[in-house]
Amino acid sequence: MGAAAKLVSINPSNGQVLGEVESSTTDQLVAAVTAARKAFPAWRALGAEGRVKILQKLFNDFNAHKDELLQLMAKEMGWPIAHAARTFDAPQDRLKWNIENAARLLAPETTMETDKQLHQVHYEPWGVYAVIAPWNSPLSNFSLTALQPLVAGNTVVYKASEEVPLFGKALNESFKRAGVPDGVFGQVFGGPDIGEALMHSDIDHIHFTGSTAVGKKLYQIAAERFLPITLELGGSDAGLVFEDADIDRMIGPIFWEKFLNTGQICSSLKRLFVHESRYEELITKLKAFIATQKIGDPLDKSTAMGPLVSEKQKKLLADQLQDAIGQGAKVLLDERDKLPKQGCYFEPVLLGGVTKQMRAGCEELFGPVLPIATFKTDDEAVRMANDTQYGLSAYIYTQDKGRAKRVASQLQAGSISHNGVGYFQSPNPFGGYKHSGMGRSNGQVGLRTCCQVKTVSTEKI
């Protein structure tokens, strides 16, 4: 891989350099994996209760440095700080759930017992987990990808996105201050080359969150090496607004389910289908709501939408939008006059007339561009929602509970929200159908995904 290069952290709101981190060399990667392998037996031997006690110290350190971490997320990737603060407690809740449930869920489970025999299932850690995490919500991404592998007794070698290297550095410092044993958690820094090298190293399980294209490549590597893999990939999540929806009450949830973090969330609402009888009303009210939301400096607590993470992401979204407009899509809302004069800002766009032939109709839109179309019947709405390679999440807006239940059963997605009820709760598994991934994180299902399953059948003496 040659000499170590520098990862330059750039503030997307103003283009200023925040700092640099050296990319890892091949030797450093090997050293991190070797240290993880060495630390694994002792970490496993602590048991779930011993491990969560140590991890609680780590999360205590996160809390002690909350302001510093929030400032870093706002500066390095553009999270509006007020909204980043509201998501800060989710990783703490995730840890609390695992503290309360891990020992029970990882204990041997009796499947059959007679007067002469005992049959039990044991949940044992895989070994060394290789985790590649994205940039869009650094602390939450850490807790979704690395926390449960650590709780289950695995050691972790972690690669944060090259877009947020300073957050990765801060994560290392928290582990050190918390006194987590050496080798239990190690990091490598770099781009796709170091990530691929990690996949070919001495690891036992792969966990990747990111694009479907990269996920497919890693799936091939895992198949060649016969390694288990967990993939949380892209999404083109549909929202369905039925004719009986309470639009006045739902307009806020619709906005935030799309535009939170400036639309840079894997499971955000990315296509909106509205019953034809409510289309004009929804467009009018959504435009009015958007007009009240401030676009600007992510360090300003009144900001609702900050910049995109980078010029690269801004160009990708602009190309997708222009492709749609060039093929006849209609811009229903254009807020360019509200944008700051510098930085990677992108206006919120409502887009009509999008077809499957357009990039905006078949690719993931990772930013504040929302295609909107109409439907006539429930069956048509479901067909439109499922007409995608993705299946991460979906959103239903109706006051009819029976309809909500029926439609949810027909949608090809891993998580369904009804009337703004958030599915990102600590006991709930998270992951997608189709090309949105395989396997699950979070909750009981996620914790046991982090384990080998062993059946032990013994004679009772």
Side-chain angles (χ1 to χ4, degrees):
M1 292 171 57
K6 299 278 189 180
L7 296 178
V8 180
S9 177
I10 297 175
N11 186 331
S13 66
N14 57 27
Q16 294 180 358
V17 173
L18 296 170
E20 296 179 341
V21 175
E22 281 194 359
S23 294
S24 300
T25 64
T26 302
D27 288 344
Q28 288 170 331
L29 184 152
V30 171
V33 175
T34 300
R37 181 69 61 196
K38 182 179 179 181
F40 170 64
W43 183 247
R44 173 182 175 173
L46 285 173
E49 293 180 348
R51 293 189 292 269
V52 295
K53 285 181 181 178
I54 293 175
L55 292 171
Q56 179 66 74
K57 295 178 182 178
L58 172 70
F59 278 69
N60 290 344
D61 188 81
F62 292 160
N63 272 335
H65 294 83
K66 179 177 180 178
D67 289 343
E68 174 188 335
L69 292 173
L70 289 175
Q71 288 269 333
L72 188 54
M73 284 191 282
K75 290 178 180 179
E76 193 168 39
M77 67 76 45
W79 248 115
I81 197 163
H83 301 291
R86 292 175 193 144
T87 67
F88 197 88
D89 290 338
Q92 304 288 343
D93 291 341
R94 218 163 272 136
L95 175 68
K96 182 175 183 291
W97 185 89
N98 280 278
I99 287 173
E100 293 172 350
N101 293 281
R104 172 179 60 85
L105 293 175
L106 297 177
E109 184 178 21
T110 298
T111 56
M112 176 180 167
E113 185 173 8
T114 69
D115 58 342
K116 295 182 179 180
Q117 299 178 0
L118 177 64
H119 301 260
Q120 290 185 317
V121 171
H122 294 248
Y123 298 94
E124 300 180 348
W126 291 96
V128 178
Y129 246 73
V131 175
I132 298 180
W135 45 263
N136 57 334
S137 186
L139 186 59
S140 287
N141 287 334
F142 163 78
S143 70
L144 271 172
T145 61
L147 173 60
Q148 286 195 317
L150 290 168
V151 169
N154 303 281
T155 53
V156 170
V157 181
Y158 188 85
K159 190 188 95 67
S161 167
E162 56 270 33
E163 299 287 1
V164 289
L166 296 185
F167 187 89
K169 185 178 178 181
L171 202 56
N172 274 351
E173 292 166 356
S174 284
F175 269 88
K176 185 175 181 180
R177 287 191 297 262
V180 178
D182 290 344
V184 168
F185 178 87
Q187 265 194 96
V188 292
F189 295 87
D193 55 345
I194 196 73
E196 184 167 351
L198 177 60
M199 298 301 101
H200 288 286
S201 65
D202 183 23
I203 58 174
D204 301 297
H205 198 293
I206 297 169
H207 189 127
F208 171 76
T209 303
S211 74
T212 295
V214 174
K216 289 180 178 180
K217 293 178 181 178
L218 298 185
Y219 191 27
Q220 290 177 334
I221 293 173
E224 291 168 358
R225 300 194 60 199
F226 213 66
L227 292 176
I229 187 169
T230 302
L231 298 170
E232 194 265 280
L233 307 176
S236 188
D237 301 356
L240 305 179
V241 181
F242 292 93
E243 68 269 25
D244 67 335
D246 185 346
I247 288 179
D248 288 332
R249 187 167 68 92
M250 290 296 105
I251 206 70
I254 288 171
F255 172 83
W256 291 115
E257 282 156 358
K258 170 56 192 176
F259 294 101
L260 184 66
N261 200 17
T262 321
Q264 298 173 108
I265 295 178
C266 298
S267 57
S268 66
L269 193 164
K270 296 189 174 74
R271 297 173 298 140
L272 189 61
F273 302 107
V274 186
H275 190 272
E276 59 183 5
S277 67
R278 308 298 299 278
Y279 178 76
E280 295 297 339
E281 177 189 358
L282 183 133
I283 294 294
T284 299
K285 291 179 177 179
L286 186 54
K287 284 182 180 180
F289 193 95
I290 292 172
T292 66
Q293 305 302 312
K294 181 177 178 179
I295 305 169
D297 183 358
L299 292 172
D300 184 338
K301 291 183 179 180
S302 66
T303 293
M305 287 178 280
L308 298 179
V309 69
S310 66
E311 286 291 345
K312 177 182 176 182
Q313 189 63 32
K314 180 179 178 180
K315 183 180 185 305
L316 171 60
L317 192 61
D319 288 347
Q320 291 170 317
L321 177 58
Q322 289 307 311
D323 173 78
I325 293 172
Q327 296 188 61
K330 182 180 179 182
V331 174
L332 307 174
L333 173 71
D334 184 342
E335 297 276 279
R336 275 176 290 185
D337 60 328
K338 288 188 175 182
L339 297 183
K341 301 303 181 185
Q342 61 175 345
C344 301
Y345 290 91
F346 204 100
E347 69 275 14
V349 175
L350 305 182
L351 196 61
V354 174
T355 68
K356 287 293 295 293
Q357 288 68 45
M358 302 172 186
R359 293 180 62 187
C362 62
E363 297 178 2
E364 180 177 29
L365 295 173
F366 215 64
V369 177
L370 178 60
I372 305 179
T374 62
F375 64 86
K376 293 182 179 181
T377 67
D378 291 13
D379 288 344
E380 182 184 17
V382 170
R383 285 197 303 271
M384 294 168 77
N386 287 338
D387 187 18
T388 173
Q389 66 174 327
Y390 299 111
L392 193 52
S393 306
Y395 301 85
I396 300 170
Y397 307 96
T398 177
Q399 297 186 80
D400 183 336
K401 293 181 181 178
R403 168 187 270 157
K405 183 177 180 180
R406 182 177 67 254
V407 170
S409 72
Q410 296 171 337
L411 290 172
Q412 299 165 356
S415 298
I416 311 293
S417 166
H418 173 221
N419 284 352
V421 176
Y423 49 76
F424 258 122
Q425 306 299 324
S426 297
N428 294 346
F430 179 70
Y433 280 34
K434 300 188 284 190
H435 290 192
S436 284
M438 59 182 61
R440 295 293 185 269
S441 304
N442 224 40
Q444 174 178 314
V445 175
L447 186 61
R448 288 182 171 175
T449 296
C450 300
C451 301
Q452 292 267 29
V453 179
K454 177 187 288 183
T455 299
V456 178
S457 301
T458 60
E459 181 183 32
K460 294 174 71 173
I461 305 301

